[in-house]
Amino acid sequence: REDRALRAQDRSAEAVRLILVDARLKLAHGQSDRALRQLETADRLIAARHQAVNPDGYDLAILRAQTSMQAGDYANAAKEAASAADLARAAAIDERSSAWVGKALLCRAQAEKALGESAAAAADAREALHHLEPNLLPTHAFVLAARGIAEAAPGTVTQ
């Protein structure tokens, strides 16, 4: 189905989501270059829709950030995560309480931490917690990761 969609330049949401799932799988298997190629394909198909706002854009930005993290390009990961946060805020029912915003901020915090920017990482992690804690269980991996980054910064106290 994916090959058929690519040959036909199928811009449907289903075709793009299939490509994004494939990119996630490639990323999970450490195949950053192959994941990046899938993300470039998804980007072209999304752009071809000519929509001002597209929900697939958030997934694309988050996956780009994760791919950049895996490749060691932390500055680009932070940039892509910031883009994902902006897209999530625009799509959120309540932009002050959104797990999508929280996930993107956590991703940016992780990239900032990798860049050695601990104060910025802690600030983003604290902001991520404001979004994640009302929407996810306290034991969720995103909540725990955000707490870990927020608490690792010197002089930082979290709830």
Side-chain angles (χ1 to χ4, degrees), residues 22 84 107 127 154 157:
D22 188 49
C107 193
E127 187 180 350
V157 177

Side-chain angles (χ1 to χ4, degrees), residues 95-120:
E95 69 180 50
R96 294 166 295 149
S97 178
S98 163
W100 280 16
V101 173
K103 180 181 177 183
L105 290 169
L106 169 60
C107 193
R108 186 168 70 183
Q110 291 167 327
E112 290 165 340
K113 181 180 175 186
L115 287 167
E117 299 172 3
S118 59

Side-chain angles (χ1 to χ4, degrees), residues 42-159:
D43 188 28
R44 285 192 305 275
L45 295 175
I46 292 168
R49 292 183 195 161
H50 304 292
Q51 295 173 314
V53 177
N54 189 302
D56 294 326
Y58 169 82
D59 286 334
L60 179 65
I62 280 290
L63 285 167
R64 280 185 167 159
Q66 292 169 339
T67 302
S68 293
M69 283 289 290
Q70 192 173 87
D73 186 355
Y74 306 123
N76 192 57
K79 180 181 83 76
E80 291 291 348
S83 175
D86 290 342
L87 291 168
R89 283 185 185 100
I93 293 169
D94 180 357
E95 69 180 50
R96 294 166 295 149
S97 178
S98 163
W100 280 16
V101 173
K103 180 181 177 183
L105 290 169
L106 169 60
C107 193
R108 186 168 70 183
Q110 291 167 327
E112 290 165 340
K113 181 180 175 186
L115 287 167
E117 299 172 3
S118 59
D124 277 336
R126 285 190 301 274
E127 187 180 350
L129 285 169
H130 289 294
H131 291 275
L132 297 171
E133 289 177 328
N135 294 293
L136 302 174
L137 293 172
T139 56
H140 192 282
F142 296 160
V143 174
L144 296 175
R147 276 195 200 126
I149 294 171
E151 292 170 356
T156 302
V157 177
T158 58
Q159 298 176 0

